Amino acid sequence: MTKLGLIAGGGLAPVEIARYLKASGRDYCIIRLAGLADEELSAHPGHDIDIGHFQQIFVALAQEGCKAVCMVGYVKRPDFDTLKRDEGGAAHLPSIQQAGRGGDDSLLRQVARVFESQGYAIEGAHEANPELLLDNGVQAGPEPSAAALDDVNEAFRIANAIGALDIGQAVVVAGKITLAVEAQEGTDALLQRIQTLSPVLIGRESARKGVLAKVAKPIQDLRLDMPTIGVQTVEAAAAAGLEGIVGQAGALLVVDKARTYARAAQLGLFIYGHAP
Amino acid sequence: MTKLGLIAGGGLAPVEIARYLKASGRDYCIIRLAGLADEELSAHPGHDIDIGHFQQIFVALAQEGCKAVCMVGYVKRPDFDTLKRDEGGAAHLPSIQQAGRGGDDSLLRQVARVFESQGYAIEGAHEANPELLLDNGVQAGPEPSAAALDDVNEAFRIANAIGALDIGQAVVVAGKITLAVEAQEGTDALLQRIQTLSPVLIGRESARKGVLAKVAKPIQDLRLDMPTIGVQTVEAAAAAGLEGIVGQAGALLVVDKARTYARAAQLGLFIYGHAP
């Protein structure tokens, strides 16, 4: 396999990919985005580089002999007007900023095009570490009741419809009623507002009700941005009184899988991998 | 025309219908729901009755010789477990509570069935007062730019798609990106969260951007619950930095139309009636 440059933003996903690359014996180096990449990544071969310093990233990747890059981890949309940049950043950031007006998908595709224009193949997080992917069926927590499976299927159906409209990735359905739809506000805000809805509609710790579905939009390039859940998602879903979480098997990243599944079991939430 | 019993919840819509009925010389009486109906309605012929006292409502309507009822105005979903009821309430509230688990549309349809079972025709607010309906084209505020018309059309398209999925009535689109979708949280919460989104995506007072679309779901019975806007909607849309509001001509109630349109003009927002 070709040598991989892992361009690492925040969170645990880059750490888990780095561990996997090391364990599997694949050649790699880490481009640690300054101020974002987890400290544990410093133990791996790599370079610390500011996010706007594209030239420095290209030089590091070339010196290392990388042929592919994997961009993963949390990166907040920067303030382009004040972002520090080297000559590579100066050359490429304007097109990225422009694409960003079309939404996050558009922004990420432009970043990918910049790397492809330099000769790098783009590899998805799930290609760099297939162990992160959600499997088919119940993965954690209690076996869903028939009513819960109705909500699983309805939430999955609505999430796919919302995605096809290029709106967002996540929905919450309870008692077959769609309680909330994610657009630009993100999954955390979506789950928080469930708690503000009528008690008639929602569940609670002692009587959980409703399912969070998180499904990629068809327009989304899964190599650049795959829907992701982790311990935090499980805890926010539990706080919202939900009964479970559903994603598409093979198309949802579960970060820190062992702990995420254990926490779901502990809180009494199921995690379900739906067939495409 | 038959005599109309106007069953009046809160807000200005019942007041405007009562004024219209009086001015147009139609026979009517008002069932003022206690604690909800506007004080101005006391100047009209009618009765003050608690919301759970169905028998009392039936008796009043029969004594008055009403043949049709129009249910209009704001009514908060009651706590059925503690709601005071007479024998009519005792007979009908359980089926209404049960239907309420299927959502507001289902609840209202059951209330309508109860009145129909007593021999009353159901009349919509727009039938009782057609002057409340939104007309075709720009009704208030500045002429929309070409970019704003793109957002008008996209917001209208997405709102119809969301409605067809039985999710909700309202969406906000800006720069052709769907910023927020309403499900169970209501339009106020939808507009409030626009202000929390990235400044890159949203407008502001000096550079308005984006359109609120408010469109009925196909499942919705317009005689029972038509999408509604008013001064408050205009002010909340302005606070969210929006450029305008679009509804379906002939299928959106504009309460307090003169003041609503004047306020929109004053704040620099357009109000647009889209052809179906």
Side-chain angles (χ1 to χ4, degrees):
Chain A
M1 282 184 110
T2 57
K3 184 166 182 175
L4 181 68
L6 181 67
I7 302 177
L12 270 181
V15 173
E16 296 195 76
I17 293 172
R19 283 181 198 157
Y20 182 85
L21 293 167
K22 186 177 180 186
S24 62
R26 182 170 176 190
D27 230 11
Y28 71 100
C29 82
I30 317 276
I31 306 296
R32 294 177 290 257
L33 295 177
L36 295 171
D38 191 279
E39 207 166 293
E40 187 184 324
L41 291 170
S42 303
H44 294 265
H47 307 260
D48 300 285
I49 306 183
D50 276 340
I51 190 170
H53 290 181
F54 275 64
Q55 196 60 36
Q56 218 181 318
I57 294 174
F58 298 147
V59 168
L61 290 170
Q63 282 175 347
E64 293 274 358
C66 292
K67 300 293 179 211
V69 295
C70 172
M71 304 186 286
V72 71
Y74 184 70
V75 176
K76 201 182 149 199
R77 187 187 269 254
D79 179 351
F80 286 97
D81 296 334
T82 60
L83 186 63
K84 284 188 297 177
R85 55 195 73 192
D86 63 9
E87 59 192 297
H92 298 295
L93 283 169
S95 69
I96 293 169
Q97 178 173 16
Q98 179 60 31
R101 298 188 205 283
D104 291 341
D105 304 317
S106 169
L107 187 155
L108 285 169
R109 279 195 300 274
Q110 185 57 30
V111 174
R113 272 192 290 270
V114 166
F115 280 96
E116 286 172 332
S117 73
Q118 303 288 319
Y120 297 101
I122 305 289
E123 214 169 282
H126 56 301
E127 294 165 314
N129 179 359
E131 294 183 348
L132 295 175
L133 286 174
L134 178 71
D135 282 331
N136 246 310
V138 180
Q139 300 303 311
E143 199 66 31
S145 64
L149 280 177
D150 281 348
D151 280 346
V152 161
N153 290 321
E154 178 67 357
F156 191 74
R157 180 182 82 87
I158 296 285
N160 275 290
I162 293 303
L165 290 162
D166 191 16
I167 290 174
Q169 297 185 344
V171 305
V172 173
V173 168
K176 296 216 226 166
I177 297 175
T178 302
L179 300 189
V181 170
E182 178 192 34
Q184 289 291 322
E185 74 278 21
T187 307
D188 287 351
L190 178 87
L191 289 172
Q192 270 165 30
R193 77 173 171 271
I194 299 300
Q195 300 183 53
T196 69
L197 300 178
S198 163
V200 176
L201 295 169
I202 65 174
R204 53 190 192 282
E205 199 183 341
S206 58
R208 297 202 171 282
K209 183 177 170 187
V211 171
L212 167 72
K214 200 154 180 187
V215 177
K217 301 183 275 187
I219 196 184
Q220 231 169 302
D221 187 332
L222 295 182
R223 297 172 311 157
L224 306 176
D225 177 28
M226 193 181 283
T228 302
I229 64 167
V231 171
Q232 245 190 310
T233 322
V234 166
E235 290 178 345
L242 300 187
E243 205 166 355
I245 298 173
V246 59
Q248 182 179 322
L252 181 77
L253 291 184
V254 185
V255 177
D256 205 0
K257 200 182 251 186
R259 251 186 80 223
T260 300
Y261 288 177
R263 189 78 178 118
Q266 185 183 32
L267 291 166
L269 262 77
F270 62 79
I271 296 179
Y272 192 96
H274 201 291
Chain B
M1 281 183 112
T2 57
K3 184 164 182 176
L4 182 68
L6 181 67
I7 302 178
L12 269 182
V15 173
E16 295 195 78
I17 293 172
R19 283 182 199 155
Y20 181 85
L21 293 168
K22 186 178 179 183
S24 63
R26 181 169 177 193
D27 227 11
Y28 71 100
C29 81
I30 318 276
I31 305 295
R32 295 179 288 259
L33 294 177
L36 295 171
D38 191 279
E39 209 166 293
E40 188 184 324
L41 291 171
S42 302
H44 293 266
H47 307 261
D48 301 285
I49 306 184
D50 276 341
I51 191 170
H53 289 180
F54 275 63
Q55 195 60 37
Q56 218 180 319
I57 295 174
F58 298 148
V59 168
L61 291 170
Q63 282 176 347
E64 294 275 358
C66 293
K67 299 295 180 209
V69 296
C70 173
M71 303 185 287
V72 70
Y74 184 69
V75 176
K76 200 182 150 202
R77 187 188 269 255
D79 180 348
F80 286 97
D81 295 334
T82 59
L83 186 62
K84 283 187 297 175
R85 57 195 71 192
D86 62 9
E87 59 193 298
H92 297 295
L93 284 169
S95 69
I96 293 169
Q97 177 172 18
Q98 178 58 30
R101 298 188 206 283
D104 291 341
D105 305 317
S106 169
L107 187 154
L108 286 169
R109 278 195 300 277
Q110 185 57 30
V111 174
R113 271 192 291 268
V114 166
F115 281 97
E116 286 171 331
S117 74
Q118 302 289 318
Y120 297 100
I122 305 289
E123 216 169 279
H126 58 300
E127 294 164 314
N129 179 358
E131 293 183 348
L132 295 175
L133 286 174
L134 179 71
D135 280 331
N136 247 310
V138 180
Q139 301 303 311
E143 200 65 31
S145 66
L149 279 178
D150 282 349
D151 280 346
V152 161
N153 290 321
E154 178 68 357
F156 191 74
R157 181 181 81 87
I158 297 285
N160 275 290
I162 293 304
L165 290 161
D166 191 17
I167 290 174
Q169 298 186 344
V171 305
V172 173
V173 168
K176 294 217 230 169
I177 296 175
T178 303
L179 300 189
V181 170
E182 177 193 33
Q184 289 290 322
E185 73 279 20
T187 307
D188 287 350
L190 178 89
L191 289 171
Q192 270 166 29
R193 76 172 172 270
I194 299 299
Q195 299 182 53
T196 69
L197 300 178
S198 163
V200 175
L201 295 170
I202 65 174
R204 52 189 192 282
E205 200 183 341
S206 58
R208 297 202 171 281
K209 182 176 170 187
V211 172
L212 167 71
K214 200 155 180 186
V215 177
K217 301 183 276 187
I219 195 184
Q220 231 169 301
D221 187 331
L222 295 183
R223 297 172 310 156
L224 306 177
D225 178 28
M226 192 179 283
T228 303
I229 65 168
V231 171
Q232 244 190 310
T233 321
V234 166
E235 290 179 345
L242 300 187
E243 205 167 354
I245 298 174
V246 59
Q248 182 179 320
L252 181 77
L253 290 185
V254 186
V255 176
D256 205 0
K257 200 181 249 184
R259 251 186 80 221
T260 299
Y261 287 177
R263 189 77 178 118
Q266 185 184 32
L267 290 166
L269 261 78
F270 62 79
I271 295 179
Y272 191 96
H274 201 288

